[in-house]
Amino acid sequence: MAELVYRPVIATALTVFRALDLKLSIEGAQHIPRTGGAIVASNHISYLDFIIVGASGLPSKRLVRFMAKQEIFRHWVAGPLMRGMRHISVDRSAGAASFNAALRALKAGEVVGVFPEATISLSFTVKQLKNGAARMAIDAGVPLIPVAVWGGQRIWTKHRKPKLRRHVRVTVVVGEPLTPLPGESLGALTARLSDAIKELLAAAQERNPMKPVDGDDWWLPAHLGGSAPSPDEAAAMDKAERVSGSAG
């Protein structure tokens, strides 16, 4: 099937990145298979993660079909683009249909992208993961590829207006595929995935040690000396948003 939307969108995004002198570094892209189904599971720190993590599939000539909340598909601009790129709409009140759509894509040989934290991490650390990615890997019999992204939060993230900063360094590190072990539980595989993403994120931060300028450190995790909420504070903020119905 011709990709009349996906490739032009990616090309446009990369052109904008070049215009901003955004320095995108992708390591480990060879771990994304050139053929067959696979799940790319990444941490989630910005609204640009779909594009940034999706770019990690380009060296293997793979287009990643991301699972994303249905509200994005309803947007008058984003909706047609998401459908044109054949991403997968997720209705959180009826998850079985979305899960089955992802399974069909995987069994058809597609690469499916998942953010198993479900929402953007306000602490910019790895939150507790949902087990959906592990369940799909087991049910579809495909590898689970851990990914960490770092840097995009400085441009556009939750509770912050987008700011087209120049010269921002963004790093993506793709890890070795995780294969479900015989009889491995969802919890055990999810724990392995979480550990892998945390290790990759630490590696990305080490390779891309961004420094705040003039006290502008809101995007830096507390454990690295920044003023981002701690994981406990971020969890409390997430809970408050769920109660108010404004979680995103």
Side-chain angles (χ1 to χ4, degrees):
M1 181 182 296
E3 297 289 347
L4 301 179
V5 178
Y6 206 132
R7 295 187 190 281
V9 167
I10 289 291
T12 299
L14 294 179
T15 298
V16 172
F17 288 172
R18 285 191 291 270
L20 293 172
D21 193 29
L22 186 148
K23 303 180 187 305
L24 176 60
S25 171
I26 300 174
E27 301 180 26
Q30 72 275 8
H31 294 309
I32 298 179
R34 291 185 174 273
T35 60
I39 299 169
V40 168
S42 173
N43 67 315
H44 197 11
I45 57 174
S46 86
Y47 291 119
L48 300 178
D49 292 342
F50 291 94
I51 295 172
I52 295 168
V53 176
S56 67
L58 298 181
S60 297
K61 299 183 179 179
R62 304 304 301 271
L63 299 179
V64 183
R65 315 297 179 181
F66 282 97
M67 300 186 74
K69 62 181 182 179
Q70 64 177 352
E71 288 82 358
I72 299 176
F73 289 78
R74 293 173 179 167
H75 190 275
W76 68 280
V77 173
L81 293 177
M82 295 293 283
R83 288 187 290 273
M85 289 186 281
R86 292 160 52 201
H87 293 312
I88 300 168
S89 176
V90 176
D91 181 352
R92 291 174 180 171
S93 65
S98 305
F99 183 86
N100 289 334
L103 280 184
R104 288 194 296 272
L106 290 167
K107 291 177 179 180
E110 298 277 12
V111 176
V112 172
V114 179
F115 296 108
E117 295 167 287
T119 58
I120 287 175
S121 171
L122 298 177
S123 66
F124 308 123
T125 62
V126 180
K127 302 195 299 182
Q128 183 174 350
L129 306 189
K130 307 294 184 183
N131 65 17
R135 184 183 296 275
M136 285 192 296
I138 292 172
D139 287 2
V142 299
L144 187 55
I145 303 170
V147 176
V149 59
W150 175 244
Q153 76 274 23
R154 296 187 67 187
I155 301 172
W156 190 17
T157 192
K158 197 171 183 179
H159 302 323
R160 293 274 176 174
K161 293 182 179 179
K163 188 169 184 178
L164 298 180
R165 300 171 182 265
R166 292 182 57 79
H167 316 305
V168 173
R169 294 177 62 189
V170 176
T171 300
V172 180
V173 183
V174 183
E176 295 185 4
L178 303 178
T179 301
L181 303 174
E184 186 172 24
S185 69
L186 290 176
L189 182 54
T190 300
R192 281 207 291 142
L193 175 62
S194 179
D195 289 344
I197 293 175
K198 288 175 181 176
E199 290 179 7
L200 294 171
L201 180 57
Q205 291 166 339
E206 182 178 351
R207 289 167 172 74
N208 182 2
M210 299 182 295
K211 301 296 183 182
V213 178
D214 298 327
D216 181 32
D217 63 354
W218 59 266
W219 49 268
L220 193 62
H223 75 277
L224 294 179
S227 61
S230 69
D232 286 344
E233 291 169 338
M237 294 166 68
D238 285 338
K239 182 176 180 180
E241 289 186 349
R242 288 195 299 270
V243 171
S244 68
S246 60

